[in-house]
Amino acid sequence: MDEAEVKEERRRLAELFDVAPGRILHALCTLAVPDLVPPEGIGMDRLASAAEADPGRLARLVLAAETLGVLRVDASGTVRLTDGGRLLRSDHPDTLRPEFAEIDMFLGWGAFAECVAHGGTSYERARGGALFERISRDPASLNAFHAYMRTRAVQLYAPLVPYLSKRGFRSVVDVAGGTGGLTELLLAADDALRVTLLDRPEVVDLVPHATRARFGERLVLHPGDMLRSDLPPGHDACMLGSVLHDWADDEAVAVLRRCHRALDDGGRIVLLERVLSERGPDQGRLADIWMMAITGGQERTLARWNALAAAAGLVIDDVHDADGEVSALVLVPDGAS
């Protein structure tokens, strides 16, 4: 490389290494700054007062956010949101606020190099316990995490709903379905469908009352732990939305076997997961590193999904990609496809 190329490559790598942009967006969302900016804009002092933040420090944060293109400050000091900044508001249909405000996800990276070298997760080393066990003991963290996951579910799975609806399922168990983001999409798309939402008791308790009232008897809440107990039987599909990527192969196979036992004859297991390319650059590999650091799980290629299915006595019958982040992988008992 010549001197100009070396300089450009140094700049590119320095940008990749810089943690400040992520922390700026995190602070904006945690302080609810985008929610406090009205369409006509707001003065810096009024914004600091509304956010209950130090005026000088908030001004520095706002100017840094302007550099990232999410806020705009005019000559009079009036702060306005850009199109990107509106995505950080809690009332935007495609909001990123729950994801960016989730503090535990940011605090779990401190020991990542040790995690790569010696195993375990960076999160456990930094926080003193596994993610799901820790947040279950902290109501505020549990609420924040599942608010993020509910919003994330709608964004991830909506492109797959037309395909899922055409499968003709009549009774589905949404395994580790959180507070019902996927469940609500499925029920809204098919008036004849019945969904049993299974998750740990403290999570099921957070399912919004409006969701329960909207779907009535078609929604069944089933407190349970997919890792420790059998799943409720009598369903023609078990659906797992971004569940198995949280777990290493042994736990994932155990969950698939429990799903297998719960199915009626002719039933299907549907995984909504990333499918990584077998080789070459893939943005999904960054998500794979998140899984390594935070949960100990992994994103998988189709070959790895096939191997996982085979270990549970299953085969992949169909893969549907709706040009989103995740695909639908339909699994059936070996010999039934």
Side-chain angles (χ1 to χ4, degrees):
M1 291 190 293
D2 62 25
E3 184 177 348
E5 290 172 327
V6 170
K7 184 177 180 180
E8 175 58 24
E9 192 64 8
R10 284 175 58 87
R11 184 203 61 75
R12 185 183 72 84
L13 293 176
E15 277 190 2
L16 292 177
F17 183 73
D18 190 1
V19 300
R23 302 307 294 179
I24 291 165
L25 296 175
H26 169 65
L28 287 173
C29 291
T30 300
L31 297 172
V33 169
D35 281 357
L36 300 173
V37 179
E40 69 274 14
I42 187 172
M44 198 78 79
D45 288 342
R46 284 181 56 210
L47 180 58
S49 176
E52 299 181 349
D54 176 89
R57 288 174 177 262
L58 186 75
R60 292 166 64 185
L61 177 69
V62 166
L63 293 174
E66 184 178 33
T67 302
L68 297 182
V70 294
L71 296 175
R72 186 174 69 255
V73 185
D74 67 19
S76 70
T78 300
V79 181
R80 292 182 174 84
L81 295 172
T82 66
D83 288 343
R86 292 185 188 92
L87 291 171
L88 306 182
R89 288 182 60 93
S90 60
D91 58 0
H92 195 286
D94 293 314
T95 180
L96 289 165
R97 184 187 172 193
E99 181 172 357
F100 288 0
E102 174 48 58
I103 191 167
D104 264 12
M105 297 300 187
F106 281 101
L107 297 179
W109 283 88
F112 179 61
E114 290 88 343
C115 145
V116 174
H118 304 297
T121 71
S122 176
Y123 183 94
E124 289 179 84
R125 292 171 182 270
R127 305 294 279 160
L131 171 67
F132 298 119
E133 297 296 333
R134 184 178 178 280
I135 64 174
S136 290
R137 297 191 296 268
D138 179 357
S141 293
L142 191 70
N143 270 298
F145 179 80
H146 283 287
Y148 157 52
M149 293 304 296
R150 185 179 181 84
T151 301
R152 184 74 169 140
V154 173
Q155 295 167 348
L156 275 182
Y157 308 135
L160 293 168
V161 168
Y163 168 79
L164 297 173
S165 297
K166 290 177 182 176
R167 300 291 307 190
F169 299 132
R170 299 276 59 86
S171 179
V172 170
V173 55
D174 183 2
V175 181
T179 59
L182 174 59
T183 287
E184 191 161 353
L185 286 173
L186 295 171
L187 289 170
D190 185 348
D191 291 340
L193 183 64
R194 181 182 177 92
V195 177
T196 296
L197 192 160
L198 180 144
D199 213 312
R200 293 164 66 146
E202 65 272 17
V203 178
V204 169
D205 285 345
L206 298 177
V207 174
H209 291 291
T211 301
R212 306 178 194 212
R214 178 183 178 188
F215 297 109
E217 294 182 353
R218 293 202 295 128
L219 169 61
V220 178
L221 302 181
H222 187 98
D225 188 335
M226 66 175 188
L227 295 175
R228 295 181 174 87
S229 57
D230 286 339
L231 306 186
H235 300 277
D236 55 10
C238 287
M239 207 162 292
L240 297 91
S242 301
V243 172
L244 297 189
H245 77 158
D246 285 327
W247 303 97
D249 286 353
D250 288 348
E251 290 88 351
V253 169
V255 171
L256 286 176
R257 287 173 176 160
R258 287 190 173 95
C259 291
H260 189 173
R261 290 196 295 269
L263 289 177
D264 282 348
D265 289 343
R268 300 286 189 265
I269 299 169
V270 183
L271 310 180
L272 308 182
E273 296 277 4
R274 285 185 177 86
V275 179
L276 297 181
S277 59
E278 297 293 339
R279 62 185 63 82
D282 185 332
Q283 284 294 115
R285 298 194 187 281
L286 303 183
D288 181 49
I289 296 302
W290 271 93
M291 294 301 103
M292 185 195 303
I294 304 301
T295 69
Q298 61 182 295
E299 307 293 351
R300 295 174 170 92
T301 64
L302 186 58
R304 291 190 68 89
W305 283 120
N306 273 310
L308 206 68
L314 303 159
V315 295
I316 296 177
D317 185 54
D318 191 25
V319 179
H320 179 77
D321 178 7
D323 295 325
E325 290 185 45
V326 298
S327 300
L329 297 92
V330 181
L331 281 59
V332 299
D334 194 4
S337 59

